[in-house]
Amino acid sequence: MTTDAARPRFSAAALAEYEALLARYPTRRAALMPTLWLAQREFGWLSLPVLEYVAELMELPLAWVTSVASFYTMYWKEPKGRWHIQLCRNLPCALRGAGAIQVAVARSS
């Protein structure tokens, strides 16, 4: 558990955006994904204290918020570097040369 001084809080602008999000959805739970997106934009990534803050703010169980954040790859559960490269790993991408791109990226890092 974190202290109050270290707990994340939305800026005034982000809090206003959050309130506008709530107004667009029929229930708080329905607004969870855009709220997580807002939190990620505000804090850079979704650490446990950020997930706790979102759960508290939205009056949802932490387990629910964490399960949604961990299910989708668009939510970052660790800090990202300056550049974030994702490669498609399905058959059509492989046929179009994704393997060569993966090798080139591995060599450059």
Side-chain angles (χ1 to χ4, degrees), residues 90-98:
N90 60 25
L91 181 58
C93 292
L95 294 174
R96 298 289 297 160

Side-chain angles (χ1 to χ4, degrees), residues 78-92:
E78 58 187 33
K80 296 292 180 188
R82 183 173 180 190
W83 304 105
H84 179 72
I85 299 172
Q86 288 183 289
L87 292 176
C88 173
R89 294 185 180 182
N90 60 25
L91 181 58

Side-chain angles (χ1 to χ4, degrees), residues 26-76:
T27 64
R28 285 181 178 271
R29 191 172 74 173
L32 178 56
M33 289 183 66
T35 301
L36 286 171
W37 193 253
L38 173 64
Q40 180 171 276
R41 195 177 72 223
E42 179 83 359
F43 303 112
W45 62 290
L46 299 177
S47 64
L48 181 58
V50 170
L51 293 173
E52 289 171 345
Y53 173 64
V54 168
E56 179 184 322
L57 186 67
M58 298 195 71
E59 301 171 359
L60 294 171
L62 177 60
W64 184 275
V65 173
T66 304
S67 67
V68 170
S70 64
F71 181 79
Y72 294 98
T73 59
M74 66 186 187
Y75 299 122
W76 303 335

